[in-house]
Amino acid sequence: MRKPSSKIREEIARLQEQLKAAETREAERIGRLALRVGLGDIEIEESDLVAALEEIARKFRKGGGRTNKPTPAPVAAGAPAGQAGEA
């Protein structure tokens, strides 16, 4: 049995909302990680940053950098050691 076009449109709208929410979660996660490692403090051209992130993505897509254990972020000199909670 075929779905009416109105039902398909509703499903597309629902999926678009899910996609938007997923992209927002992913962007927030990547943003928190970038801030944690200090990228927010670095003055860098957006094109240079995009190129560096593309290089990292290629590395992980090839499986060269994938690990199951998270690597702790380095602790700055004089900073207390411990868990750096995500925002």
Side-chain angles (χ1 to χ4, degrees):
M1 185 156 135
R2 291 186 167 176
K3 288 184 183 180
S5 61
S6 62
K7 292 289 183 188
I8 294 171
R9 282 189 198 92
E10 289 173 8
E11 188 173 338
I12 290 170
R14 182 179 52 80
L15 291 171
Q16 286 174 332
E17 287 298 318
Q18 287 179 2
L19 176 60
K20 183 179 176 183
E23 288 175 338
T24 299
R25 282 191 309 272
E26 292 166 0
E28 289 171 348
R29 176 178 171 256
I30 297 299
R32 282 192 305 270
L33 294 171
L35 291 174
R36 184 188 299 174
V37 300
L39 285 179
D41 299 330
I42 298 174
E43 290 189 29
I44 184 171
E45 291 292 323
E46 189 170 323
S47 60
D48 293 336
L49 182 56
V50 168
L53 292 172
E54 286 172 342
E55 184 177 325
I56 292 169
R58 277 192 301 277
K59 175 183 174 182
F60 281 88
R61 283 188 185 117
K62 290 179 183 177
R66 187 167 297 278
T67 63
N68 290 333
K69 292 192 305 184
T71 304
V75 176
Q83 288 287 5
E86 289 187 26

